[in-house]
Amino acid sequence: MTAAKPTVAFLGIGLMGRHQAANLLKAGYHVTAWNRSRAKAEALEALGARVADSPAEAVAGADVVVAMLENGPIVAEVLFASGADAALKSGAVVVDMSSIKPAEAQDHAARLARRGVAHVDAPVSGGTVGAEAGTLAIMAGGEPDAFARVETLLKAMGRPVHVGPSGSGQLAKLANQIIVGVAIGAVGEALMLAAKGGADPAKVREALRGGFAESRVLELHGQRMVERDFVTKGRSVTHLKDIDNALSAAEGLGLDLPFSGLLADLFRGLLANAGDLDHSGLLVELERRNGLDGADSRAA
């Protein structure tokens, strides 16, 4: 890259992407935004973004292309089926911040390499709060020199760490989702047990803070459970997709992930019976399986 900031195309202006693109604009990057629903991209015009009508138009001439899309098939559709790959200039870097399968990331990297385009898979953790604050945990896979070329740009959105070759970022994200999901389930079980036994779950959560059970999940998701606030901040359907991807990757590596298998089953039950609640809504599924209506888990 030259001393000047690279030009950026941002594909996918959703709940996360709109904050990430806004932070790039605030950091002084020239951003061209594209989204399937154009109005979401147009919301960035006030910050100086240019809006493109197609992925190919957005990426034409860009030094760096950032994708923040729903899943692997959509990433493939936007990057390749739409003709965006043909519009990429040689020497560009594609940074895919979507959460997809490691094998999909590796395939995309190989296809782009044939066009002289580098690829970094860089999924994130931190939710919309971290996206807005620019404090996302960014797990990056790919060639070290490709990561070095986009590291400063990634720092405008959070804390990037290069974790290994192509696909490694996605493996790190799957590891994150396993840890977060199992922790959410454990906090839900613990608070449900406390409430059913007659303790005040809000006070139990307070008592546990600062001990070995302390975690961001106990702090944030535990509070949502106490308040019965399951308005979506982290989608359960997305978390299930990630856990299914983890199980698929594990199968390919000859591994058995029993906690992840149970977690996937709990999320499927939640989605089937209560809908796409915030992932802290795992408590609702645990209550359903125990014949509780939720009132038993409220603070006294």
Side-chain angles (χ1 to χ4, degrees):
M1 299 293 182
T2 64
K5 282 185 168 63
T7 56
V8 181
F10 204 107
L11 309 177
I13 312 299
L15 289 174
M16 297 285 289
R18 64 190 176 98
H19 294 304
Q20 292 169 263
N23 283 330
L24 290 176
L25 288 160
K26 292 171 185 175
Y29 289 92
H30 295 286
V31 177
T32 298
W34 172 84
N35 194 71
R36 200 179 302 275
S37 302
R38 183 184 170 93
K40 293 181 179 179
E42 288 175 342
L44 293 170
E45 287 182 314
L47 294 175
R50 185 175 75 85
V51 177
D53 290 319
S54 69
E57 180 189 340
V59 307
D63 298 310
V64 179
V65 176
V66 179
M68 190 61 174
L69 300 163
E70 187 172 353
N71 54 47
I74 291 177
V75 173
E77 176 190 343
V78 170
L79 286 183
F80 302 107
S82 74
D85 59 329
L88 286 163
K89 72 177 186 180
S90 181
V93 182
V94 171
V95 180
D96 186 8
M97 306 188 81
S98 318
S99 294
I100 68 175
K101 294 179 180 179
E104 290 172 324
Q106 292 166 340
D107 174 65
H108 298 168
R111 293 169 72 177
L112 290 168
R114 291 194 286 269
R115 292 189 173 273
V117 174
H119 179 273
V120 174
D121 55 292
V124 304
S125 179
T128 55
V129 174
E132 185 172 8
T135 58
L136 292 169
I138 303 172
M139 301 146 269
E143 293 297 326
D145 62 333
F147 172 74
R149 292 166 61 193
V150 297
E151 184 175 7
T152 299
L153 178 146
L154 291 173
K155 286 181 177 178
M157 295 180 278
R159 183 179 60 86
V161 177
H162 184 248
V163 297
S166 180
S168 297
Q170 298 300 338
L171 285 169
K173 176 58 185 284
L174 296 181
N176 178 86
Q177 295 300 81
I178 291 170
I179 293 168
V180 171
V182 171
I184 290 173
V187 169
E189 280 193 359
L191 295 183
M192 179 178 66
L193 173 68
K196 181 64 175 177
D200 183 334
K203 293 297 184 182
V204 169
R205 173 183 166 276
E206 181 182 341
L208 296 177
R209 298 291 309 278
F212 280 125
E214 177 67 292
S215 69
R216 288 284 285 169
V217 169
L218 179 63
E219 176 189 0
L220 298 179
H221 298 80
Q223 185 66 28
R224 294 176 202 173
M225 293 175 190
V226 166
E227 296 176 350
R228 312 291 301 179
D229 175 14
F230 302 125
V231 175
T232 302
K233 299 176 183 69
R235 295 184 65 193
S236 289
V237 69
T238 301
H239 207 139
L240 174 60
K241 176 207 69 175
D242 291 337
I243 297 303
D244 280 340
N245 285 347
L247 290 167
S248 175
E251 182 179 6
L253 295 168
L255 296 175
D256 175 35
L257 306 182
F259 286 112
S260 297
L262 176 57
L263 185 60
D265 182 57
L266 287 167
F267 271 123
R268 270 186 249 285
L270 174 65
L271 290 164
N273 292 285
D276 190 14
L277 303 180
D278 182 80
H279 47 184
S280 61
L282 276 181
L283 173 64
V284 174
E285 175 61 12
L286 291 167
E287 291 169 342
R288 184 189 71 81
R289 293 186 181 206
N290 283 278
L292 304 175
D293 65 5
D296 304 89
S297 294
R298 292 189 178 92

